[in-house]
Amino acid sequence: MEIAATAPLRDADDLSLSYTPGVARVCEAIAEDPAVADDYTWVSNTVAVITDGSAVLGLGDIGPTASLPVMEGKAILFKQFGGVDAIPLALDVRDPDDFVDTVVRMAPSFGGINLEDIAAPRCFEIERALQARVDIPVFHDDQHGTAIVTLAALLNALRLTGRDAADTKVVISGAGAAGVAIARILLASGIRKLAVVDRGGVVHPARTDLTPIKAEIAFETSEWGRTGQLPDALDGADVFIGVSGGTVGESAIERMADDAIIFALANPTPEVHPDIARRHARVVATGRSDYPNQINNVLAFPGLFRGALDVRASKVTEGMKVAAARALSDLVGDALSESYVVPSPFDDRVAPAVAGAVMAAARRDGVARR
């Protein structure tokens, strides 16, 4: 990574324009109308990639300093795939209120905030509190990036197997950051028969051991009425989505419906080994690059922020996320097959398609300012 100038700095005239005294004219213009900062500074093309190092990839709580290489890598992906400049920031703070206060104070320097590798449940609290206090997009990629790409792949898997979303029975293993976000985007896209499972079994309204976020999910997913443990939930289910890191036995997978869909997304070890999953499912996806149908967040966040920045969106709405997923899904087109339900990150069409869909959705949802 490096920071490079976009204008030449060759002589005294260039220096006087880029710095004193010429820069003062830009400062005065922004002081008179803060909105022109989008035109005269890097704000309109720059996001902060921020973590506390509490839930880093499969490494867990390794702290802010050790998390910095991951944030740097994320910043590189923003630039490579979306043309978005990103600054990695690792904060030595664990209290959610202190985290939010710190980011709010830095927000004037950025056009968006990408939260990364923050442990549940405080990641939910931090994202909500931040978005309430700033007028730029706040996006926790571990939640919503995963959810967008999962929905994109699922839409195509449903098309391939001839299923209708409203009648499809979906089980999500894992009620952390990704599981909650996947549940909500599936509900927003028309899935109605949905069960989320944690260590205590199906998350349902009668349980008394739920966190506030899980209680919300229990209410939102109560229509199907499933209870019991994971094997009970999988009985007759059409779709299994694993974001828990646990292991699901073949005996449980055998109970699923014919032409099942299995997304085992834990890394590096999927909840169901792909070889086992293929014995019982028509479509199998993982989070790994060495198997077909990789559910990779890089398909979502560069294009999403590209679109959000270009229309100066004040937030990321559920409609923008669903639009991004549908745009990704549509790119597969007639090439759809059991081993191709989601495009490759190296497909040059991905970021522009996602950005265009996000821009249109932001305007529909009334959060675009340009």
Side-chain angles (χ1 to χ4, degrees):
M1 288 184 65
E2 64 178 4
I3 292 179
T6 58
L9 190 58
R10 300 161 299 197
D11 52 33
D13 287 341
D14 289 342
L15 183 60
S16 67
L17 184 64
S18 296
Y19 200 49
T20 184
V23 73
R25 294 183 60 188
V26 181
C27 295
E28 289 171 342
I30 295 171
E32 183 175 339
D33 180 9
V36 302
D38 286 337
D39 301 310
Y40 296 145
T41 74
W42 75 348
V43 164
S44 62
N45 196 58
T46 306
V47 303
V49 180
I50 307 181
T51 189
D52 63 1
S54 60
V56 181
L57 300 177
L59 303 174
D61 187 351
I62 60 174
T65 304
S67 73
L68 196 54
V70 180
M71 303 309 112
E72 291 177 335
K74 195 63 169 267
I76 291 167
L77 298 179
F78 264 110
K79 187 66 172 179
Q80 179 69 28
F81 292 104
V84 174
D85 295 312
I87 303 299
L89 297 170
L91 304 186
D92 188 10
V93 57
R94 290 302 173 88
D95 179 79
D97 292 337
D98 290 343
F99 187 104
V100 170
D101 287 343
T102 301
V103 177
V104 167
R105 292 185 178 104
M106 295 188 294
S109 296
F110 301 101
I113 304 294
N114 183 94
L115 299 174
E116 194 77 22
D117 292 347
I118 301 170
R122 67 174 173 269
C123 62
F124 303 112
E125 178 183 348
I126 286 170
E127 185 184 40
R128 284 180 177 177
L130 262 179
Q131 190 62 82
R133 292 180 59 183
V134 300
D135 63 348
I136 57 176
V138 177
F139 184 83
H140 184 202
D141 187 51
D142 303 296
Q143 293 184 59
H144 310 301
T146 304
I148 288 168
V149 183
T150 299
L151 174 58
L154 182 60
L155 290 172
N156 278 328
L158 296 181
R159 180 160 67 97
L160 186 67
T161 58
R163 288 182 167 96
D164 179 76
D167 297 322
T168 299
K169 304 178 182 72
V170 179
V171 176
I172 299 172
S173 176
V180 168
I182 291 170
R184 284 181 165 152
I185 201 171
L186 294 188
L187 290 169
S189 64
I191 295 291
R192 291 290 170 262
K193 298 175 181 178
L194 176 62
V196 178
V197 182
D198 67 2
R199 291 184 181 90
V202 175
V203 176
H204 60 84
R207 282 180 52 180
T208 59
D209 60 337
L210 302 179
T211 64
I213 288 291
K214 289 183 181 181
E216 291 177 9
I217 287 296
F219 175 76
E220 293 166 14
T221 61
S222 59
E223 181 174 324
W224 191 15
R226 283 275 157 126
T227 59
Q229 299 301 310
L230 180 59
D232 304 312
L234 285 172
D235 191 13
D238 301 298
V239 181
F240 168 76
I241 299 172
V243 283
S244 64
T247 299
V248 180
E250 186 169 5
S251 60
I253 295 300
E254 288 175 340
R255 300 171 68 173
M256 295 181 67
D258 293 338
D259 277 353
I261 298 164
I262 295 178
F263 291 0
L265 306 183
N267 260 322
T269 305
E271 293 86 351
V272 185
H273 192 281
D275 293 341
I276 295 174
R278 290 192 195 97
R279 295 176 196 161
H280 308 284
R282 184 170 174 189
V283 180
V284 177
T286 72
R288 292 174 49 147
S289 60
D290 52 347
Y291 290 103
N293 297 326
Q294 184 191 18
I295 306 301
N296 191 329
N297 291 18
V298 77
L299 288 165
F301 66 82
L304 184 139
F305 268 99
R306 175 76 279 150
L309 291 170
D310 286 350
V311 296
R312 308 295 189 266
S314 59
K315 63 187 295 185
V316 176
T317 65
E318 204 67 31
M320 292 161 71
K321 299 170 200 171
V322 172
R326 294 192 181 280
L328 275 176
S329 179
D330 289 345
L331 289 177
V332 170
D334 293 337
L336 177 65
S337 71
E338 285 81 356
S339 60
Y340 184 59
V341 296
V342 67
S344 163
F346 296 100
D347 185 332
D348 291 339
R349 302 173 299 162
V350 167
V354 171
V358 166
M359 292 167 68
R363 292 187 175 108
R364 286 195 302 271
D365 292 347
V367 298
R369 291 174 289 195
R370 177 168 297 188

